[in-house]
Amino acid sequence: FKQKTAYEISACLVGSEMCIRDRYISDPKEKEAISELNKAQYFFEMAIVSNQPDSLFRLALNGGEGKYGFLDIVNEYSGTKAANLANYSIGMSYLNLKEYDNAIIYLEKFKSDDILLQSISLGTIGDCFSELNQPDEAFEYYQKAFKHDDNIYTTPKYLFKAALIGSEIGKYKSSINFLNRIKEEFPDSYESSLVEVQLGRIENLNN
C-alpha cells in the first residue's frame, strides 16, 4: 500500500474541484479557463509520479503542446476560479522546483472554501519559509494551517510541524501544548506515534 503524499492528495482535490466546476459553470470565460487548466493539471499530476519531474513541472507552469500553462492562465483569465486554482498549482510546482520565494507568492494568492486545500496551502507556505531558514514565519503559517479547520489529516500534521519548528526558536511551551493536543485529540494519526520522543526532547529543552 502506497501512502499518498500531500501533493498527490492536493492534485486529486484540485482535479475534483475542476471537474465539478467544469460541469456546473455556465460562464463561457470560466469554461474556457477550466478547459485550459485541464492540460496544465495533467502535466502537474504526471510530474508528481515521475522520477524526473522537473521538466514536467516546467511544462505545467509554462505550457506545452499548444496549450496554456498555469502562468498563462493566471495572466489571461485573471479573476476566474480557474486562475485561483492555477495559483495553487503554481505554488506547488515552484515548491517542487525548490523555488520557494515564488511558491510563497502564488500560494498566498490562493483562496478556497475547500478545507483541505486551504490548510495544505497555508502549511506549504510554512514549509517554504522553513526551507528559506525563516523559522518564525514558518511557525506562524503552520499555526494558520492547523487553526484553519480541525480534521484528521491536516490538523495533526501541522501541529507537529509547528511543534518542531517552535522548538528551534524557543517556543517550548507552545510546542509542548501542540504535541499534547495531537496525543489527546488525534491518537490515531501518524503524527501521534512520533509525539512521545519529541515531547521528551522539548521538555528537556524547556527545563
Side-chain angles (χ1 to χ4, degrees):
F1 176 73
K2 181 180 179 293
Q3 185 176 14
K4 286 183 178 290
T5 66
Y7 310 119
E8 288 175 298
I9 290 169
S10 60
C12 291
L13 288 167
V14 170
S16 297
E17 194 161 340
M18 284 196 310
C19 289
I20 292 167
R21 288 178 172 174
D22 195 24
R23 183 177 177 183
Y24 291 105
I25 287 173
S26 58
D27 182 88
K29 186 177 181 182
E30 286 282 6
K31 275 196 167 290
E32 184 179 327
I34 288 288
S35 177
E36 292 290 348
L37 191 61
N38 282 326
K39 187 63 178 180
Q41 187 66 21
Y42 169 77
F43 286 130
F44 178 81
E45 291 173 9
M46 290 293 291
I48 287 169
V49 298
S50 173
N51 292 325
Q52 296 180 312
D54 285 9
S55 62
L56 289 166
F57 280 123
R58 295 286 179 200
L59 277 172
L61 286 168
N62 300 311
E65 299 179 9
K67 292 290 186 178
Y68 282 167
F70 293 131
L71 291 168
D72 298 308
I73 292 162
V74 167
N75 291 327
E76 295 294 326
Y77 299 99
S78 178
T80 64
K81 293 177 174 66
N84 183 48
L85 286 169
N87 281 325
Y88 179 89
S89 294
I90 292 169
M92 288 297 186
S93 297
Y94 278 133
L95 171 74
N96 282 279
L97 292 167
K98 298 181 170 55
E99 296 183 26
Y100 302 115
D101 287 314
N102 283 331
I104 290 167
I105 289 169
Y106 285 94
L107 288 171
E108 285 186 331
K109 294 178 181 180
F110 174 72
K111 300 292 182 288
S112 177
D113 294 331
D114 186 286
I115 293 166
L116 287 182
L117 276 182
Q118 190 63 50
S119 296
I120 292 170
S121 177
L122 292 166
T124 302
I125 294 173
D127 292 337
C128 292
F129 277 123
S130 180
E131 293 289 345
L132 291 168
N133 295 314
Q134 296 178 238
D136 290 292
E137 289 83 356
F139 184 68
E140 175 189 350
Y141 271 90
Y142 288 145
Q143 289 183 89
K144 287 182 179 181
F146 73 68
K147 289 177 180 177
H148 181 70
D149 187 86
D150 275 2
N151 64 79
I152 189 62
Y153 177 67
T154 62
T155 307
K157 178 184 181 72
Y158 294 119
L159 278 166
F160 190 76
K161 289 194 173 195
L164 294 186
I165 205 87
S167 72
E168 295 177 12
I169 57 175
K171 305 284 188 181
Y172 303 129
K173 289 184 180 178
S174 292
S175 294
I176 290 167
N177 287 337
F178 296 159
L179 292 172
N180 279 326
R181 186 177 164 196
I182 294 171
K183 187 166 64 170
E184 292 165 8
E185 297 181 27
F186 303 96
D188 297 326
S189 67
Y190 168 73
E191 288 77 15
S192 182
S193 66
L194 309 174
V195 161
E196 290 301 334
V197 170
Q198 295 302 326
L199 263 180
R201 180 181 69 83
I202 297 170
E203 283 171 347
N204 285 334
L205 291 172
N206 193 39
N207 291 331

